[in-house]
Amino acid sequence: MQANTVFDAYNSMIKVENSSSSVKKTFHGFPSNRPLIIAHRGSSGMRPEHTVAAYQLAVDQGADIIECDLAVTKDLKLVCSHDAYLNDTTDIHHHSVFKNRVTTYTIGGKTITDYFINDFTLAELKTLKRVQNRPYRDQSYNGLFQIATFDEYVAVAKFATTGDRVVGIYPETKNPVFFNQFLAINNTTMEDLLLASLYKHGYTSADSPCFVQSFDEQSLLYMANHTKLPLIYLTSTRPSSEHLNQLSTFCYGVGVSKNIIVQVDPTTNEIVTNTNFLKTAHAKNLKVHAFTFRNEHQFLAWDYGCDSYREYARFTELELDGFFTDYPWSLANFQQGD
């Protein structure tokens, strides 16, 4: 039967590729014959984010790379957390011993009153348990897992890297301006702590299975002068052609909102157009990873019929280099033709 949709055509193609006895690899050791499966905060659609359990599940489900955001504790330890604050993703409000730790900080122009990671030691944070902060996802794992340290996160990837399989890491300097104001009294920065830890773990060269990402261009520029690791600039708005030229001088690629590649009308939730962003970035020798792919219907344009496979197919046809996804199992099954 002749394939008559992007999805059917891709499904037929990937079955042929998966039947090959060898998989083409990039110089990082990742597959090069398909977009990368980047597990966003681990398998965060099925387990509380940024836990060892979420990272390990992502590996088991076929992720090429496990991704984490970084925060810094009071005693200068790196932990994995998207937010600098704790109320939404932990059970800290049940720990009366910490009730006097609520404070107010301004992060990125937003004033927040909460419990903040930089006011706690690692030992104190390890008494907390993670919770699923999205109410439409499975709540049965709440209170079971601790906040993961950066070392624990790296260990998951290292342990899974065996034989022909390489599992990479993808740390982000999250809110570096905020954390660095506190780290200054210790004559260090979030970037210095991260690069020292990466060096300790053997991630030192341009071909190491590690991407370092940030929304903060100054953070990336600083690291570009201190490491050969591939850097990824994150943005939710489309960079100009001139900006892409500048980024190409020190970045391996860009991580962008998926709406920059396939525009969806926020009112009608219908696809407006495919943009030329991927072709533009690729022409400047930049790889492109897009965020964030989620299975729930509220994150899918109506055009996909609530079918995440059809979204994957569209972006694959456009030659996206990597998907940040909360559901690496779905993406792996799609790529295997299941």
Side-chain angles (χ1 to χ4, degrees):
M1 182 175 67
Q2 184 178 3
N4 55 14
T5 67
V6 170
F7 172 75
D8 293 334
Y10 182 76
N11 201 31
S12 298
M13 177 190 74
I14 203 65
K15 284 183 177 179
V16 172
E17 290 187 350
N18 283 336
S19 67
S20 173
S21 59
S22 62
V23 176
K24 294 179 181 179
K25 300 293 183 80
T26 67
F27 65 100
H28 300 102
F30 303 133
S32 62
N33 61 331
R34 58 169 174 77
L36 296 174
I37 304 171
I38 306 163
H40 183 242
R41 311 179 197 175
S43 189
S44 57
M46 297 183 69
R47 298 291 186 275
E49 65 183 41
H50 291 315
T51 60
V52 170
Y55 299 136
Q56 185 59 60
L57 183 60
V59 169
D60 294 343
Q61 292 175 338
D64 300 305
I65 301 169
I66 48 177
E67 183 263 357
C68 85
D69 309 285
L70 293 175
V72 185
T73 68
K74 185 177 182 179
D75 50 345
L76 308 186
K77 304 299 183 183
L78 291 172
V79 295
C80 301
S81 182
H82 177 265
D83 301 318
Y85 47 90
L86 293 162
N87 238 333
D88 289 349
T89 58
T90 74
D91 63 354
I92 192 167
H93 47 282
H94 294 310
H95 293 250
S96 59
V97 66
F98 298 136
K99 65 181 180 180
N100 294 324
R101 298 287 190 93
V102 174
T103 190
T104 300
Y105 291 121
T106 299
I107 304 177
K110 183 179 179 181
T111 300
I112 303 168
T113 299
D114 209 303
Y115 304 88
F116 288 83
I117 288 174
N118 53 290
D119 290 330
F120 291 78
T121 66
L122 178 59
E124 289 173 328
L125 290 175
K126 279 295 188 180
T127 66
L128 309 179
K129 296 296 176 65
R130 284 288 196 191
V131 299
Q132 174 58 259
N133 66 321
R134 295 178 183 267
Y136 47 81
R137 290 181 176 171
D138 189 353
Q139 302 292 308
S140 66
Y141 295 95
N142 290 352
L144 298 182
F145 310 119
Q146 296 177 328
I147 295 172
T149 67
F150 183 67
D151 287 342
E152 290 168 339
Y153 157 77
V154 170
V156 174
K158 290 265 191 178
F159 185 78
T161 299
T162 57
D164 291 334
R165 186 183 186 190
V166 173
V167 174
I169 61 171
Y170 208 140
E172 177 185 346
T173 54
K174 194 78 174 180
N175 303 310
V177 172
F178 171 74
F179 284 106
N180 286 342
Q181 66 182 322
F182 301 103
L183 294 172
I185 61 172
N186 293 289
N187 296 313
T188 191
T189 65
M190 171 181 270
E191 294 83 1
D192 291 330
L193 293 174
L194 172 59
L195 294 180
S197 185
L198 289 171
Y199 182 85
K200 176 184 71 174
H201 288 294
Y203 299 99
T204 59
S205 64
D207 61 352
S208 294
C210 169
F211 300 124
V212 180
Q213 58 176 329
S214 188
F215 281 94
D216 190 309
E217 191 170 341
Q218 293 304 309
S219 181
L220 292 174
L221 280 167
Y222 176 85
M223 290 187 286
N225 291 317
H226 294 83
T227 184
K228 295 180 180 179
L229 290 168
L231 305 177
I232 307 289
Y233 174 66
L234 303 174
T235 180
S236 296
T237 59
R238 179 168 179 160
S240 67
S241 182
E242 282 190 13
H243 194 190
L244 288 175
N245 285 336
Q246 294 169 359
L247 292 170
S248 69
T249 65
F250 65 95
C251 285
Y252 175 82
V254 290
V256 300
S257 167
K258 64 184 183 179
N259 201 55
I260 291 174
I261 299 168
V262 177
Q263 288 185 353
V264 177
D265 187 303
T267 302
T268 65
N269 196 38
E270 294 175 344
I271 292 173
V272 177
T273 187
N274 297 335
T275 74
N276 66 349
F277 181 77
L278 281 170
K279 288 184 177 179
T280 301
H282 287 160
K284 300 178 187 300
N285 202 31
L286 289 166
K287 297 292 186 181
V288 181
H289 303 157
F291 58 82
T292 302
F293 292 83
R294 297 179 167 115
N295 287 8
E296 290 89 0
H297 71 87
Q298 62 264 45
F299 302 112
L300 294 165
W302 294 132
D303 307 68
Y304 300 129
C306 291
D307 185 350
S308 61
Y309 275 30
R310 296 191 178 275
E311 183 177 46
Y312 294 147
R314 189 183 193 102
F315 279 81
T316 300
E317 182 75 7
L318 292 171
E319 299 185 356
L320 180 67
D321 300 299
F323 292 86
F324 287 96
T325 176
D326 288 2
Y327 291 93
W329 199 10
S330 291
L331 181 53
N333 287 339
F334 165 72
Q335 291 185 344
Q336 293 164 7
D338 293 342

